[in-house]
Amino acid sequence: MNPIEPRFLKEHRFDIFYKNSEKGAIGESIHEIIHFTWFYVWHEIFHDSWEEYERPSLKWILSEMVVESIMKDSRLSSINPYFPREEGGCIYPYFFDMKAGGTLILDTLDHMYRSKSIKDFMKDSYAYCQAHEKEIRAHIQEAESRGLCP
């Protein structure tokens, strides 16, 4: 009954709002399955606390941004009714214009994702986000002040 559609990583489950459309349920499910896979691999590498994977941690922010890069795999994008982003996107809209060092963060993450193994991508993208955390959080705070954040 929860329209927020929470996920429960340790319990290996997530909720889909009962009034969601078939299209919405498919898109949301793909998005959440990417998160579960991401954090499963992440935990294997970093061995940190599952609580660190929730909002507002930088690990959570990164996990939300990388869904876009991962979704570009044709095996996923071909079944996601909300991809490409012209049809609504599959991440929070405020990420699309987020910049670090004058460059769009999603472009940087896409380049990193295409040129590295997933484990190296995780390490390097997190280091990148740590280096630009102030800019990232400032952009999110601005989006929140404009009512653009969930």
Side-chain angles (χ1 to χ4, degrees), residues 95-105 128 132 135-136 139:
F95 288 134
F96 292 115
D97 64 349
M98 183 183 285
K99 292 184 178 184
T103 304
L104 291 170
I105 288 177
Y128 169 80
H132 296 282
E135 291 171 276
I136 290 168
H139 185 86

Side-chain angles (χ1 to χ4, degrees), residues 9 33 43 55 61 123 130:
L9 291 169
I33 290 167
H43 193 75
R55 186 182 188 135
I61 294 169
K123 292 173 187 174
Q130 287 176 308

Side-chain angles (χ1 to χ4, degrees), residues 27-39:
E28 182 66 26
S29 295
I30 294 168
H31 179 102
E32 292 305 327
I33 290 167
I34 289 171
H35 281 304
F36 278 88
T37 305
W38 173 267
F39 283 123

Side-chain angles (χ1 to χ4, degrees), residues 5-140:
E5 302 183 328
R7 69 168 182 250
F8 307 92
L9 291 169
K10 286 197 289 189
E11 297 171 23
H12 306 279
R13 68 180 181 89
F14 58 92
D15 292 346
I16 297 293
F17 186 48
Y18 78 103
K19 287 189 175 182
N20 210 333
S21 66
E22 180 180 325
K23 183 177 172 180
I26 290 169
E28 182 66 26
S29 295
I30 294 168
H31 179 102
E32 292 305 327
I33 290 167
I34 289 171
H35 281 304
F36 278 88
T37 305
W38 173 267
F39 283 123
Y40 175 82
V41 175
W42 183 280
H43 193 75
E44 293 284 311
I45 296 168
F46 294 102
H47 307 285
D48 44 15
S49 168
W50 289 95
E51 287 72 31
E52 294 179 61
Y53 306 155
E54 301 301 334
R55 186 182 188 135
S57 83
L58 190 60
K59 294 171 187 178
W60 173 82
I61 294 169
L62 174 61
S63 80
E64 290 294 340
M65 289 190 289
V66 300
V67 168
E68 185 76 6
S69 298
I70 294 168
M71 187 58 66
K72 289 180 181 176
D73 183 307
S74 63
R75 294 169 294 182
L76 295 172
S77 63
S78 66
I79 60 173
N80 189 334
Y82 293 107
F83 198 85
R85 74 179 108 175
E86 291 81 24
E87 298 171 20
C90 57
I91 63 173
Y92 295 112
Y94 57 84
F95 288 134
F96 292 115
D97 64 349
M98 183 183 285
K99 292 184 178 184
T103 304
L104 291 170
I105 288 177
L106 294 183
D107 289 348
T108 300
L109 293 175
D110 280 348
H111 176 73
M112 293 171 84
Y113 180 74
R114 287 191 312 267
S115 63
K116 300 178 180 294
S117 71
I118 191 67
K119 291 180 179 181
D120 288 340
F121 172 64
M122 286 178 166
K123 292 173 187 174
D124 293 348
S125 63
Y126 187 58
Y128 169 80
C129 285
Q130 287 176 308
H132 296 282
E133 184 171 6
K134 194 179 266 187
E135 291 171 276
I136 290 168
R137 291 199 182 275
H139 185 86
I140 292 171

